[in-house]
Amino acid sequence: MVALFRWLIDQAMLFARFVYPLLRSQPLWLIPYLIATVIIWGLLSLVIGKDQTDLLGSGVPQIEAILKDQ
């Protein structure tokens, strides 16, 4: 999973190096780029869903409690 995450980050960086100069030279491409960004954001919010409500904060208090056997 970590390897996949790192690969996706690398691919996103390659994509950004291609897309951002294109958006600067042809600003009309900004509209489909923003639409695609909103669609991806929506899909990610569906994947994460409402079941992940406990994914807030740093997690430090929980780790400290585990280390103290609480």
Side-chain angles (χ1 to χ4, degrees), residues 6-68:
R6 289 184 56 96
W7 181 80
L8 286 173
I9 290 173
D10 289 339
Q11 296 303 311
M13 291 302 296
L14 290 173
F15 181 71
R17 288 183 184 151
F18 167 75
V19 167
Y20 289 149
L22 176 70
L23 293 176
R24 185 173 182 167
S25 65
Q26 298 180 8
L28 286 178
W29 280 103
L30 188 59
I31 295 169
Y33 177 77
L34 290 174
I35 292 170
T37 301
V38 170
I39 291 171
I40 291 170
W41 171 76
L43 291 174
L44 288 175
S45 67
L46 287 175
V47 169
I48 293 172
K50 297 176 184 175
D51 297 331
Q52 305 299 328
T53 57
D54 58 343
L55 294 178
L56 299 173
S58 66
V60 173
Q62 290 85 357
I63 298 298
E64 288 177 348
I66 290 170
L67 293 174
K68 292 179 182 178

